[in-house]
């Protein structure tokens, strides 16, 4: 397994180009199952979760071609299989996003239950309840969800809890259902809006995406389309943290600052200077970070996917900060590794109290999940001596060439194969 070796102490300086959003590209790729036509997706991030989804779609019979310019052509002329196998789903739970499109397109879907992951139990009960509301018969056995329906029928679905992929899965299924579907308490994330834009380009009738009520008028069929995936707001947020923690000067290019409004606002509260332009963010940090509490919330609140990175930042801030994780029940795995580097963190249920500023020292640490691995790299960038981060396969799932981007901004980082 690859590891990353980082020597701390360098102030980051320069430009970083932000890639397309993983969490937008994954549902967009699944949406290609809804039509026989060509779906062309531009600005795809070349990360492992994208390659896993490509493998899954090919197993289902979708023709997938990537070019050298981060574009992919998807052609689901024939769906040859309706099964998303355990081997693939266990490596990437977002595979569950093929359930809605397969069910709507073929009347049948068989998807391995994702099971829990490092950050929480993460059930898909709300997805299943939604499909039952659309008239699907669902059997869960042998670790698989088996769903069938001659044709889905539009319905009103009110989510007990806001779920991003649940909203996306039901929205995709409802595009080919007969009649109208209304999703209430829906997720408002930019990735949900991006998916709705793609579906409407394919001939769907989706309105209200970005609000908590989404309406979908079912249509008999969809056609091909070309769509550019939005920038990755979490990758951008991660680089903002890298610039802030190293007292750096970074310009982030090809990003969308409006998608990061709550993160930018919080960083400004800690004393970081941030200016924005339509597609870029300019960060200047003077090193006097102030502690500030944060609570993770659904969009437009502070993203849970930025919590680990923010915790690393708060180890270098003067004062105590309370970090409250409201979305996932087990998303403080990075804290113990940060403490091994010298951080002062106390966990109490969904609250973490970080006392700063602490002098971090390099160590051997292990990444437990995608965003946790990012937080360990951030800590390593300011730690005395060198750090070796193990299990960076977590990182490669969602960050495109992060060590090259960091090195281009001055970081001393290398991949140990
Ligand atoms: C999406 O996961 C993202 N993944 C996650 O990003 C992100 O952390 C999460 O949304 C929250 O923003 C993708 O888009 C591929 P949820 P998702 O359903 O959709 C509970 C990353 O780092 N819930 O919105 O799986 C659930 O357990 C990843 O890129 C149910 O109880 O998250 C959680 O507590 C990590 N039943 C809460 O709702 C359900 O049926 C929100 O989960 C569904 C969800």
């Amino acid at each position: 397994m690859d590891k990353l070796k980082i020597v701390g102490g360098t102030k980051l300086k320069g430009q970083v180009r932000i890639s397309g959003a993983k969490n937008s590209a994954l549902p967009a790729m699944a949406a290609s199952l809804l039509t026989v036509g060509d779906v062309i997706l531009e600005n795809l991030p070349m990360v492992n979760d994208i390659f896993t989804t490509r493998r899954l779609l090919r197993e289902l019979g979708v023709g997938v071609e990537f070019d050298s310019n981060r574009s992919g052509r998807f052609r689901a002329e024939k769906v040859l299989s309706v099964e998303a196998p355990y081997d693939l789903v266990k490596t990437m739970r977002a595979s569950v996003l093929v359930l809605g499109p397969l069910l709507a397109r073929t009347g049948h879907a068989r998807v391995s239950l994702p099971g829990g992951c490092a950050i929480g139990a993460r059930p898909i009960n709300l997805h299943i309840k939604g499909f039952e509301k659309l008239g699907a018969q669902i059997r869960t056995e042998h670790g698989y969800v088996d769903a069938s329906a001659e044709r889905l029928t539009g319905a009103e679905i009110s989510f007990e809890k806001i779920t991003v992929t649940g909203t996306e899965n039901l929205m995709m299924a409802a595009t080919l259902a007969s009649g109208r579907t209304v999703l209430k308490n829906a997720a408002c994330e930019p990735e949900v809006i991006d998916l709705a834009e793609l579906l409407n380009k394919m001939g769907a009738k989706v309105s209200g995406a970005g609000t908590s009520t989404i309406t979908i008028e079912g249509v008999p069929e969809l056609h091909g389309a070309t769509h550019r995936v939005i920038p990755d707001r979490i990758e951008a947020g991660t680089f903002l943290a890298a610039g802030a923690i190293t007292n750096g000067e970074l310009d982030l290019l090809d990003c969308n600052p409006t998608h990061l409004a709550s993160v930018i606002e919080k960083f400004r509260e800690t004393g970081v200077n941030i200016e924005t332009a339509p597609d870029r963010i300019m960060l200047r940090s003077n090193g006097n970070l102030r502690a500030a509490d944060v609570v993770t919330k659904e969009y437009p609140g502070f993203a849970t996917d930025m919590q680990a990175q923010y915790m690393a930042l708060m180890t270098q801030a003067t004062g105590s900060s309370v970090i409250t994780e409201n979305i996932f029940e087990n998303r403080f795995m990075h804290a113990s590794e940060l403490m091994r580097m010298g951080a002062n963190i106390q966990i109490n249920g969904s609250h973490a109290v970080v006392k700063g500023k602490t002098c971090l020292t390099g160590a051997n640490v292990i990444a437990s999940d995608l965003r946790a691995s990012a937080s360990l790299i951030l800590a390593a960038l300011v730690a005395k001596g060198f750090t070796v981060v193990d299990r960076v396969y977590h990182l490669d799932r969602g960050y495109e060439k992060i060590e090259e981007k960091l090195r281009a901004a001055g970081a001393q980082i290398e991949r140990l194969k």
Side-chain angles (χ1 to χ4, degrees):
M1 278 189 271
D2 288 8
K3 300 177 185 200
L4 283 174
K5 180 177 175 186
I6 300 132
V7 178
T10 310
K11 176 182 166 120
L12 295 188
K13 217 165 184 273
Q15 296 188 327
V16 180
R17 198 167 290 284
I18 299 301
S19 301
K22 166 184 79 79
N23 290 348
S24 188
L26 297 178
M29 292 167 76
S32 68
L33 285 159
L34 290 165
T35 175
V36 297
D38 282 3
V39 172
I40 295 163
L41 299 176
E42 297 164 346
N43 198 30
L44 291 173
M46 293 295 119
V47 297
N48 287 349
D49 275 8
I50 298 296
F51 303 134
T52 305
T53 305
R54 176 175 64 180
R55 235 175 87 208
L56 172 59
L57 291 176
R58 283 180 170 159
E59 288 206 8
L60 300 175
V62 183
V64 185
E65 296 310 325
F66 283 3
D67 70 12
S68 58
N69 189 25
R70 292 184 173 74
S71 290
R73 176 190 296 273
F74 302 82
R75 179 179 295 174
E77 221 158 347
K78 280 203 181 63
V79 176
L80 302 176
S81 163
V82 294
E83 179 164 323
Y86 172 70
D87 286 346
L88 280 175
V89 178
K90 78 173 183 214
T91 63
M92 185 193 68
R93 47 178 313 101
S95 309
V96 72
L97 284 164
V98 300
L99 206 163
L102 282 173
L103 188 56
R105 167 87 184 268
T106 71
H108 191 201
R110 184 174 159 73
V111 174
S112 170
L113 279 165
C117 84
I119 65 177
R122 304 185 73 181
I124 59 164
N125 57 317
L126 302 177
H127 299 230
I128 292 171
K129 274 195 189 143
F131 290 123
E132 285 173 334
K133 275 266 172 109
L134 294 180
Q137 284 77 47
I138 307 256
R139 272 176 310 116
T140 305
E141 57 187 11
H142 307 300
Y144 277 77
V145 178
D146 200 301
S148 57
E150 211 151 293
R151 179 161 188 214
L152 297 171
T153 309
E156 184 170 302
I157 298 166
S158 186
F159 292 108
E160 289 154 39
K161 207 174 176 178
I162 294 174
T163 161
V164 176
T165 50
T167 300
E168 294 166 342
N169 229 339
L170 273 301
M171 187 162 74
M172 289 190 279
T175 57
L176 294 176
S178 64
R180 168 183 296 181
T181 297
V182 180
L183 303 179
K184 293 208 161 167
N185 199 29
C188 304
E189 269 67 5
E191 294 77 22
V192 171
I193 300 172
D194 203 34
L195 178 62
E197 274 177 25
L198 166 63
L199 294 171
N200 284 341
K201 284 179 187 167
M202 294 166 69
K205 294 186 175 149
V206 181
S207 56
T211 75
S212 58
T213 303
I214 300 176
T215 303
I216 305 109
E217 300 289 347
V219 295
E221 62 179 10
L222 297 175
H223 50 72
T226 298
H227 182 71
R228 184 177 175 79
V229 168
I230 57 173
D232 196 314
R233 61 193 167 100
I234 306 300
E235 183 196 19
T238 303
F239 277 100
L240 286 181
I245 205 169
T246 61
N247 313 333
E249 299 175 14
L250 285 182
D251 291 354
L252 307 187
L253 312 180
D254 295 349
C255 58
N256 184 334
T258 59
H259 293 166
L260 280 151
S262 57
V263 171
I264 291 173
E265 189 189 326
K266 185 53 66 178
F267 276 46
R268 284 177 172 151
E269 200 185 319
T270 69
V272 178
N273 181 314
I274 294 179
E275 299 300 329
T276 64
D279 64 351
R280 62 180 57 196
I281 304 174
M282 295 74 80
L283 173 138
R284 302 289 178 271
S285 176
N286 57 18
N288 301 326
L289 288 171
R290 295 187 296 271
D293 299 348
V294 77
V295 177
T296 65
K297 286 199 193 94
E298 296 87 356
Y299 192 87
F302 189 95
T304 172
D305 294 347
M306 277 300 300
Q307 179 257 99
Q309 300 92 316
Y310 188 75
M311 184 181 281
L313 186 69
M314 284 300 100
T315 67
Q316 299 309 297
T318 306
S320 282
S321 55
V322 179
I323 298 175
T324 305
E325 174 56 56
N326 275 336
I327 307 295
F328 292 107
E329 66 274 20
N330 186 36
R331 202 169 201 179
F332 286 144
M333 299 281 281
H334 40 282
S336 51
E337 293 301 287
L338 291 173
M339 286 190 255
R340 292 188 61 256
M341 298 176 75
N344 181 339
I345 305 169
Q346 275 170 340
I347 306 289
N348 181 3
S350 62
H351 306 288
V353 179
V354 183
K355 289 206 171 76
K357 167 177 183 157
T358 47
C359 173
L360 301 181
T361 51
N364 290 320
V365 292
I366 297 181
S368 53
D369 61 82
L370 172 59
R371 308 305 172 183
S373 42
S375 97
L376 298 179
I377 289 178
L378 295 175
L381 289 171
V382 289
K384 280 202 171 33
F386 71 87
T387 297
V388 175
V389 181
D390 199 349
R391 300 188 187 165
V392 291
Y393 60 81
H394 288 293
L395 194 77
D396 295 336
R397 292 188 50 187
Y399 289 96
E400 184 179 345
K401 297 195 171 83
I402 191 167
E403 76 266 26
E404 287 177 24
K405 292 186 180 184
L406 285 169
R407 211 167 25 240
Q412 297 179 62
I413 180 169
E414 62 175 314
R415 180 176 289 256
L416 308 177
K417 287 259 174 234

